[in-house]
Amino acid sequence: MKTMINLPLFPIIIPFFFAMLLLFMPKKVKAQRVLTTIALLLNILVVSYLISVVKSEGIQSVTLGSWPAPFGITMVSDMLSALLVLSSTIITLFVVLYSFRAIGEDRERFYYYPAILFMLTGVNGAFTTGDIFNMFVFFEVLLMSSYVLIVLGGEKVQLRESIKYLLVNVISSAIFVITVAMLYSVVGTLNMADISMKIGEIGQPGIITVIAILFLVVFGLKGAIFPLYFWLPGSYAAPPIPVLTLFGALLTKVGVYAIMRTYNLFFIFDKGYTHEILMIVALLTIVAGCIGALAYFDLKQIIIYNIIIAVGVILFGASLSNETAMTGSVFYLIHDILIKGALFLLIGVIAAVTGTTNLRKMGGLMKTHPALGWMYLVAAFGLAGIPPLSGFAGKLLIVQGGFAEGELLGTIVILASSLVVLLSVIRIFIYAFWGEEKPVQGVGKSTYRQLFTPAVILTCITILYGVGAEFIVPFMQDAGQVLHQPSIYTDAVLKE
């Protein structure tokens, strides 16, 4: 359905406009903070309205320059993309609020807030675009911004890890362009809905299956699937906590979204091969993440490896050919964006209080910071999928879908991973909050309050997301239905 007011463009235009504005006032930190907060609140209002429009009127699409699809560049807001745009903006808002006290004014003066808004522009654009080449363009926008954020401050470990991060993304971007060129040479179009129709007409020959695997490599490098996640633990642990939170909550999810979208829109005619490979890779990703989460005694690394576990769980659901599992994947994807944001902010508070991220140097925080302990425990239970918290409903739907498809081994791996996740995050709770009280660096009451408050509010949002699942599931079902029945998407874009 075509919208008359170009509504899908606003979540991309608003952060981009404010980012451009902030470039002209790098030294005015307070003004930057206020304008960034206004931009994100405005974006949340616009996206909330967009979701209500999509729910009541169906998929919204805009083809730029008044060209008919598939000839013009199309932006498409279906329920999946709109929900992801909302989740991304919410996380960015809380990271910004946390940054006021956590990031330091030196970094704030060095284009920190413009880089965040440009990154959000790229993330929202990648979720919204209906053109496969434009997806590459928006990937590059978010990656260029992330290059600024990962080196901001210029510490030795940041510079070392940023080289690896840069090389991996340059290589994956080069493969992305080559793969898009191969796809265009076969189907003669870049419009994603039209690509789906053209592949349907030619019946997915072998060359299309090769392209499917190449896309899995490209998006798998960005989404950190097995064995392509090797760069992630070091690169994500290097920058400060606010930047780590943005990266951990959002960047891998853009790669995961791209796999979900392309594999359930383009490559649906040879599922016995493409989706079987996707499922195997997803399960290996879970196993690799579980090993890493149990191997480390560092706060950051434990939660970073839990990102990898979640990527595997989401993609396992996306590889199953039923609507229940896909709905579960969408539910779990948004849960993971929110809960990882909350957990990274909470471990940032723990690290600020103790002066370390090494679990062996912590202990007894329950006596001095009981509210932090209980809030962390709630977030940890949410991550592990303890009912009725947010991780439960999505994983339950994925497990139901797995059993319905007869994928017993994969479904058992999903269930077992919940125990590993619980063990890994409870280990943090036991080491940091129980035991003998150890000397801490300590932070002032005002600083502690300013760090803790955004983390608490975000954790409460994840609780509401789980407890209010009954009200949220209809939106998730709409998103899962678009993935399960690609004709809904193609009809909305091509038959305006």
Side-chain angles (χ1 to χ4, degrees):
M1 178 181 290
K2 187 171 183 175
T3 179
M4 298 304 292
I5 56 171
N6 296 343
L7 198 55
L9 298 177
F10 280 82
I12 304 163
I13 292 170
I14 291 169
F16 181 76
F17 172 77
F18 276 88
M20 294 290 287
L21 194 62
L22 294 180
L23 288 176
F24 295 100
M25 51 178 80
K27 306 302 179 192
K28 297 178 180 176
V29 171
K30 287 187 177 177
Q32 290 206 57
R33 290 174 176 179
V34 170
L35 286 172
T36 305
T37 307
I38 289 170
L40 294 169
L41 288 170
L42 183 60
N43 225 34
I44 287 171
L45 288 174
V46 169
V47 181
S48 300
Y49 175 65
L50 174 60
I51 288 172
S52 70
V53 171
V54 172
K55 183 67 179 165
S56 59
E57 298 180 20
I59 296 172
Q60 303 291 298
S61 72
V62 178
T63 306
L64 305 182
S66 299
W67 287 85
F71 303 107
I73 294 172
T74 304
M75 308 301 287
V76 184
S77 281
D78 60 1
M79 190 57 76
L80 174 60
S81 64
L83 288 170
L84 288 170
V85 167
L86 179 62
S87 308
S88 302
T89 309
I90 289 171
I91 284 294
T92 308
L93 173 64
F94 283 101
V95 168
V96 165
L97 295 175
Y98 186 89
S99 298
F100 294 167
R101 183 61 69 172
I103 199 73
E105 285 203 13
D106 289 343
R107 284 187 172 100
E108 286 180 295
R109 288 196 182 97
F110 214 81
Y111 303 102
Y112 174 67
Y113 295 112
I116 284 178
L117 290 178
F118 278 127
M119 194 176 105
L120 184 64
T121 302
V123 169
N124 288 352
F127 288 146
T128 307
T129 185
D131 181 286
I132 194 67
F133 185 76
N134 257 35
M135 184 179 279
F136 165 75
V137 171
F138 283 118
F139 265 89
E140 292 307 297
V141 171
L142 71 90
L143 287 172
M144 283 189 286
S145 309
S146 72
Y147 300 152
V148 174
L149 291 170
I150 200 171
V151 299
L152 208 56
E155 294 175 10
K156 186 178 179 181
V157 65
Q158 287 179 266
L159 296 173
R160 185 184 70 238
E161 292 296 338
S162 67
I163 293 169
K164 182 167 62 177
Y165 179 77
L166 186 67
L167 284 172
V168 165
N169 281 297
V170 166
I171 291 166
S172 71
S173 295
I175 301 170
F176 195 172
V177 173
I178 292 165
T179 309
V180 169
M182 287 174 66
L183 184 62
Y184 183 76
S185 71
V186 176
V187 297
T189 181
L190 295 170
N191 183 287
M192 287 161 68
D194 200 36
I195 290 169
S196 177
M197 299 290 283
K198 291 288 189 348
I199 292 174
E201 289 169 8
I202 59 178
Q204 191 161 337
I207 184 65
I208 295 290
T209 304
V210 170
I211 290 167
I213 301 305
L214 282 172
F215 270 126
L216 186 60
V217 171
V218 169
F219 298 138
L221 269 168
K222 298 179 190 300
I225 64 171
F226 179 88
L228 306 172
Y229 67 88
F230 61 89
W231 59 271
L232 183 134
S235 297
Y236 277 21
I241 286 289
V243 177
L244 164 60
T245 306
L246 267 183
F247 285 15
L250 295 185
L251 292 195
T252 50
K253 306 310 182 296
V254 182
V256 171
Y257 162 81
I259 293 171
M260 291 171 72
R261 179 68 83 190
T262 53
Y263 266 64
N264 290 296
L265 185 63
F266 301 167
F267 311 119
I268 53 175
F269 303 99
D270 190 13
K271 284 190 174 183
Y273 188 80
T274 53
H275 286 59
E276 193 69 28
I277 288 179
L278 180 59
M279 184 183 296
I280 292 165
V281 166
L283 294 173
L284 290 172
T285 303
I286 293 170
V287 173
C290 288
I291 293 167
L294 294 177
Y296 284 89
F297 276 84
D298 182 271
L299 283 178
K300 289 182 178 179
Q301 294 290 359
I302 291 169
I303 307 298
I304 285 169
Y305 273 98
N306 271 287
I307 296 171
I308 296 167
I309 297 171
V311 166
V313 172
I314 295 159
L315 291 179
F316 176 77
S319 70
L320 298 169
S321 300
N322 64 61
E323 198 173 318
T324 304
M326 288 183 186
T327 301
S329 277
V330 175
F331 199 104
Y332 200 83
L333 174 58
I334 292 167
H335 143 78
D336 200 62
I337 290 173
L338 297 173
I339 201 74
K340 287 296 192 306
L343 273 167
F344 279 123
L345 294 186
L346 286 166
I347 65 166
V349 180
I350 296 169
V353 169
T354 59
T356 181
T357 59
N358 187 338
L359 282 179
R360 293 189 177 97
K361 296 179 181 178
M362 299 179 189
L365 284 179
M366 209 64 182
K367 296 171 187 172
T368 54
H369 299 82
L372 175 59
W374 293 119
M375 198 52 63
Y376 171 79
L377 191 62
V378 169
F381 283 162
L383 182 68
I386 304 295
L389 299 172
S390 58
F392 175 69
K395 196 166 279 188
L396 178 65
L397 290 168
I398 292 171
V399 166
Q400 285 179 341
F403 281 131
E405 291 291 318
E407 296 292 342
L408 298 183
L409 177 62
T411 309
I412 290 167
V413 171
I414 297 288
L415 292 169
S417 72
S418 296
L419 297 175
V420 175
V421 169
L422 184 60
L423 179 60
S424 70
V425 289
I426 288 298
R427 204 158 47 118
I428 293 175
F429 183 74
I430 292 168
Y431 273 82
F433 292 96
W434 290 140
E436 184 183 337
E437 196 173 338
K438 295 189 180 178
V440 296
Q441 172 182 290
V443 290
K445 284 187 177 179
S446 172
T447 300
Y448 175 75
R449 197 163 48 245
Q450 284 182 273
L451 293 176
F452 190 43
T453 303
V456 169
I457 297 170
L458 188 52
T459 306
C460 290
I461 289 173
T462 69
I463 294 168
L464 291 173
Y465 183 68
V467 174
E470 185 180 348
F471 303 101
I472 295 166
V473 162
F475 294 91
M476 303 299 157
Q477 286 174 331
D478 286 357
Q481 195 176 33
V482 171
L483 288 175
H484 186 244
Q485 299 177 33
S487 59
I488 298 172
Y489 183 95
T490 56
D491 290 350
V493 175
L494 297 176
K495 297 177 183 177
E496 298 172 346

